[in-house]
Amino acid sequence: MTTMQQPELDLPPEWARLVMPRKGGRTPTEPIRFDSEAPARIDGLVREHFAFIESFFPPLFTDMVLRNATAAHLSTGPDPTGAAVLHLILGHLVTGEQRFGPFLDAWIIEHGPAFAAAAALERCMITSEYTMIGDHRRVTADEPGGLKWAAGLDREDLRRLRSAIASADDYDAVVQALAARRSSPWRNTVAAFLVPTETNWVSEALDADFPERFTVDWMWWHAVSTADHLTALDRRSDWPSRGDTGTLATFLDGCGAAGLPVLAGSSRRSGWEPATRPEMATALTATESPEALRRLLSSLEIRGALPLAGAIARRFPAMAVQGIAAHAAESCTTPELAALLPSDPVVWRAIAAELSDSDMAATASMREVGPETPVADPADLPSLLTEPPWLHRDQAPVPPQPLATPAPVDIAWRWLPTEEPIPTDADSAAVLEAIVDRPDLGDRLLPLTGLRPARVAASWLSGKPQARKASRAWFDRHGVATVPWLAFDALGAPGPLRDAAAQAWRYLAFRHGAEAVAAEIADHGEAGHAALESILGPEALYALPRTMPRIPDWANPSLLPPIWARDGMGVLPERAVQHLLTMLLLSASDVPYAGLTVAIQACDRESLERFSNAIVEQWERVGREKHGAKGWVPRQAELIGAPGSRPASS
């Protein structure tokens, strides 16, 4: 077998440091530093805990092979199996159970890469267990059990070991040391992982029968390199449960672009988890791979496949249209397939020359836009859709001059007629002090009124869901009567107290109307009303979270139908759609984003409702992920008011 030659992959440069190197691999092996003090440290550890080591070899329950190997390593001469036993017994004392740590450094420095590779293999073949009599542990050979431990090994340790092996001056000695220890499928798999240049070993590992595949499949992904390997891997393994960015980087270092179709088809059973998709999308868009796209188009029903196919379609739109046209000719069209076609006429115009008449004809019934579709002029759109405030935070308006306002009632009880008051001599301040950081006790805040309770409720309004719920309950109970209590802060100097009070006023204006809030501060005259207008107007546009919400991959504008500007001026540019989505995400909590109404009014109602419906459908399609389960997806449907867009159980 020969290693495949493939086009260069456009991967992030920082991925190179995550690759587990192989001799002759695409990623150069960088020199690895080892701790010169590690051998002395391990020797001292052995001397200090010698009695503890002996306790792992109790009479009647001792594995004599492991005991003799350990004794030989401690007295006669280096023994990889004995070195592995010492790590099993003492490793947790210095690095934790899932690290080689200084043991690896000591093995390399004292005995070389061949010894270190053999010791690492042997460590993956042993475990410890309690004996049947007494509270004693023993070391025992357990290849499947040892590999369960190995599956959790620190990946940086493994990368350092593979780097040392790949750059070894006597690489053949490493291969020979491991070849002598390939006496079982488990052992062979570890050996193939450590020296993946031995392609026959990798093939044997892929062909072997393992009852618990999760203990070895991650090694397969780090070892494959040939077309035959990919065929076997595609047949046997989904993306491993412990796969990470380093796994992706190492897999593509070994296989190049030929691995992309296997990657695209590697989650046939469980679907793609949201946490893995950004890196997976980066890998799948590293170069054009029509076959990878074809694999995804054939499995769009799998959770997460559509966003990944969408990432490919955005990066390579011409290839995507050609692939979708071919897929549509072979099978029926679906809404998921149609969603992958470009929704931006600018993209259609850019790729028109690369498409055939048959491509255009095959996709005509699936697309709402094409090269001929007009695009709305940004100059005709509200600035909120072209240059929203979060792009220009430094232009936030300066709050009006603080007003000198008398302090309101500090704290008092106010009971509803249906409630049974607690004794009037109860210390209201003590009650408030006990719950100020306990929104889970928000029901105790309800009967308290005045400036201090209002401050607590206002601070909760920007907190976590439980805090916001308690805050809403308090403001809904007391209504606009709370406006004067908060005027002392809302009309005061800039700072956290003013920010919280201003947000509370926005909530009250949303619930009861701006006029009702204004009526409660009539005593503050024109200056008070000017401050209120600033809080509900310009300042509200810049009342933004420190970290802006991210649009989920499944809600990318390219996967949603186009929105037409009002009066049919053309479809919104993709950037404008992204800004609208951001406003909807900002509106997930209690008060819609202040600019949302203006943005919605700039859109054609019918196309906006289709857009809203599509968001819900996409969310349902990916399994109602946490991005919107109780947040922005049901909320946007409510705010846009699209008939049929409300989730069934929102």
Side-chain angles (χ1 to χ4, degrees):
M1 298 182 217
T2 58
T3 302
M4 296 167 288
Q5 299 297 317
Q6 295 293 330
E8 289 295 319
L9 297 175
D10 182 17
L11 294 172
E14 59 269 22
W15 280 26
R17 64 180 179 81
L18 302 177
V19 171
M20 292 191 188
R22 66 181 68 215
K23 189 174 182 63
R26 292 172 172 81
T27 302
T29 303
E30 296 183 358
I32 299 295
R33 290 185 177 183
F34 295 99
D35 182 5
S36 60
E37 297 181 359
R41 185 180 178 189
I42 299 304
D43 286 344
L45 199 67
V46 170
R47 287 194 297 271
E48 180 182 357
H49 298 282
F50 192 81
F52 180 62
I53 295 170
E54 288 189 317
S55 72
F56 276 72
F57 298 99
L60 304 179
F61 295 100
T62 292
D63 185 315
M64 294 305 298
V65 173
L66 297 178
R67 179 177 183 176
N68 292 340
T70 306
H73 183 68
L74 292 173
S75 59
T76 307
D79 186 293
T81 302
V85 171
L86 291 180
H87 175 267
L88 181 149
I89 297 173
L90 301 177
H92 70 284
L93 298 177
V94 287
T95 59
E97 293 186 359
Q98 302 300 138
R99 296 290 309 271
F100 281 132
F103 285 85
L104 175 60
D105 296 61
W107 297 341
I108 294 282
I109 292 172
E110 287 192 304
H111 311 298
F115 180 92
L121 185 152
E122 294 297 341
R123 177 61 184 90
C124 295
M125 300 298 125
I126 59 176
T127 187
S128 62
E129 64 182 13
Y130 280 101
T131 61
M132 297 176 61
I133 301 175
D135 187 18
H136 298 288
R137 295 189 71 84
R138 68 166 183 165
V139 180
T140 182
D142 182 1
E143 295 179 350
L147 280 174
K148 289 181 182 178
W149 168 84
L153 260 173
D154 180 79
R155 297 305 168 86
E156 180 60 19
D157 275 0
L158 292 173
R159 191 187 71 81
R160 294 175 73 237
L161 175 57
R162 285 223 341 196
S163 294
I165 292 172
S167 59
D169 293 334
D170 193 354
Y171 184 78
D172 290 342
V174 179
V175 174
Q176 292 170 11
L178 293 174
R181 299 171 184 274
R182 293 193 315 119
S183 55
S184 73
W186 292 278
R187 288 174 166 272
N188 175 70
T189 298
V190 177
F193 165 79
L194 293 174
V195 286
T197 52
E198 298 301 305
T199 55
N200 288 335
W201 297 5
V202 178
S203 297
E204 291 177 28
L206 288 164
D207 290 339
D209 183 27
F210 294 98
E212 295 179 300
R213 195 162 51 200
F214 77 92
T215 61
V216 295
D217 61 354
W218 63 276
M219 294 193 205
W220 297 342
W221 286 84
H222 286 83
V224 294
S225 62
T226 71
D228 289 343
H229 292 167
L230 288 175
T231 299
L233 186 69
D234 193 31
R235 183 182 71 251
R236 295 208 62 185
S237 177
D238 275 7
W239 180 247
S241 59
R242 294 190 59 82
D244 56 14
T245 308
T247 308
L248 276 174
T250 305
F251 172 71
L252 294 177
D253 179 69
C255 299
L260 295 180
V262 175
L263 204 57
S266 65
S267 197
R268 291 177 289 259
R269 286 183 281 273
S270 58
W272 300 101
E273 293 295 335
T276 67
R277 286 185 213 148
E279 290 77 16
M280 197 65 65
T282 298
L284 290 172
T285 57
T287 191
E288 287 192 70
S289 176
E291 178 61 18
L293 178 64
R294 188 193 68 78
R295 294 286 296 268
L296 286 171
L297 294 181
S298 299
S299 57
L300 290 179
E301 74 284 356
I302 293 176
R303 181 181 60 171
L306 185 63
L308 289 176
I312 296 176
R314 289 191 298 276
R315 179 74 186 275
F316 309 111
M319 181 191 76
V321 173
Q322 294 162 352
I324 292 168
H327 188 82
E330 297 172 0
S331 59
C332 62
T333 62
T334 63
E336 294 85 355
L337 201 63
L340 294 170
L341 292 169
S343 58
D344 188 345
V346 175
V347 176
W348 279 104
R349 292 166 197 159
I351 65 175
E354 301 179 55
L355 303 177
S356 66
D357 291 342
S358 61
D359 292 332
M360 297 299 290
T363 58
S365 63
M366 291 188 282
R367 51 187 168 88
E368 296 188 43
V369 299
E372 72 288 345
T373 306
V375 179
D377 187 341
D380 296 330
L381 298 174
S383 61
L384 284 164
L385 288 174
T386 56
E387 295 292 331
W390 51 88
L391 299 182
H392 308 282
R393 290 178 185 254
D394 58 333
Q395 299 178 13
V398 178
Q401 287 294 320
L403 298 180
T405 58
V409 174
D410 185 52
I411 187 170
W413 296 104
R414 179 176 295 179
W415 300 96
L416 297 178
T418 57
E419 293 177 330
E420 181 178 351
I422 64 175
T424 56
D425 60 349
D427 188 345
S428 56
V431 173
L432 185 65
E433 185 67 26
I435 64 174
V436 65
D437 294 319
R438 293 287 305 276
D440 57 314
L441 302 177
D443 57 326
R444 301 184 187 180
L445 180 69
L446 291 175
L448 294 173
T449 62
L451 174 60
R452 289 172 61 192
R455 281 176 170 171
V456 172
S459 69
W460 287 354
L461 195 57
S462 298
K464 294 182 178 180
Q466 186 179 53
R468 296 201 306 270
K469 181 179 179 181
S471 176
R472 290 195 306 268
W474 189 86
F475 281 110
D476 291 347
R477 171 170 172 140
H478 300 290
V480 293
T482 63
V483 173
W485 304 336
L486 288 168
F488 186 74
D489 291 338
L491 304 179
L497 289 177
R498 184 183 185 277
D499 293 343
Q503 183 66 6
W505 275 13
R506 295 183 192 111
Y507 176 74
L508 292 166
F510 173 68
R511 295 284 289 171
H512 304 283
E515 297 81 3
V517 175
E520 294 294 326
I521 59 167
D523 293 345
H524 298 288
E526 292 185 4
H529 283 283
L532 176 63
E533 288 180 4
S534 178
I535 286 173
L536 299 184
E539 287 186 55
L541 296 175
Y542 287 86
L544 301 166
R546 183 174 301 176
T547 302
M548 293 294 289
R550 186 186 69 84
I551 299 172
D553 55 5
W554 52 264
N556 190 283
S558 65
L559 296 176
L560 299 169
I563 302 174
W564 284 78
R566 189 180 55 190
D567 301 328
M569 295 184 295
V571 297
L572 297 188
E574 185 168 313
R575 288 283 291 171
V577 179
Q578 289 175 343
H579 296 325
L580 176 61
L581 280 165
T582 299
M583 293 183 210
L584 293 172
L585 283 160
L586 289 170
S587 302
S589 57
D590 310 296
V591 182
Y593 178 64
L596 182 62
T597 299
V598 172
I600 286 177
Q601 290 173 348
C603 302
D604 168 72
R605 187 71 193 175
E606 183 179 347
S607 63
L608 184 61
E609 290 177 355
R610 287 200 305 273
F611 181 83
S612 177
N613 289 336
I615 290 175
V616 175
E617 291 168 2
Q618 288 282 68
W619 179 49
E620 301 275 6
R621 192 173 289 129
V622 296
R624 293 194 172 200
E625 292 168 357
K626 63 180 181 181
H627 303 82
K630 294 184 179 178
W632 78 280
V633 172
R635 184 68 161 153
Q636 67 83 27
E638 176 185 337
L639 294 170
I640 292 176
S645 68
R646 294 294 298 275
S649 59
S650 65

